[in-house]
Amino acid sequence: HHTTLPHTPARARAFRGMSDAARETLDVAHDVAKLLDTGLDREQLAVLIALVERGVNPEALAAVVRELRREAAALKSEEG
């Protein structure tokens, strides 16, 4: 379904640096994402939330995610 990025010290620091409120928000968002079967893991969801918080248009971001998934599926089907 989805690819997880390798664990890195920088990613660990980023999650540790989150406030309790931000971590709780991410937990709730991740629970909703699982219920909606988005295929997004907690880390991917955190990146998307951060982008929206920085002003990225959510609809445009969703379109990019859908397109990347289509491209990944096409590449995977070409591989066999």
Side-chain angles (χ1 to χ4, degrees):
H1 286 95
H2 54 82
T3 304
T4 55
L5 298 173
H7 183 75
T8 64
R11 283 189 25 245
R13 281 192 303 274
F15 279 110
R16 273 197 311 271
M18 294 176 74
S19 69
D20 288 342
R23 196 172 292 114
E24 184 175 330
T25 298
L26 178 57
D27 289 342
V28 170
H30 186 238
D31 288 344
V32 171
K34 286 191 301 188
L35 288 170
L36 296 175
D37 197 24
T38 64
L40 296 171
D41 66 23
R42 200 167 182 275
E43 179 183 355
Q44 293 164 336
L45 194 56
V47 170
L48 295 175
I49 290 170
L51 288 169
V52 171
E53 287 176 343
R54 285 167 177 75
V56 174
N57 179 295
E59 289 83 8
L61 189 56
V64 169
V65 170
R66 282 191 298 271
E67 182 60 27
L68 288 171
R69 286 182 172 171
R70 276 193 290 272
E71 291 292 324
L75 288 172
K76 194 171 189 173
S77 69
E78 289 175 8
E79 291 174 357

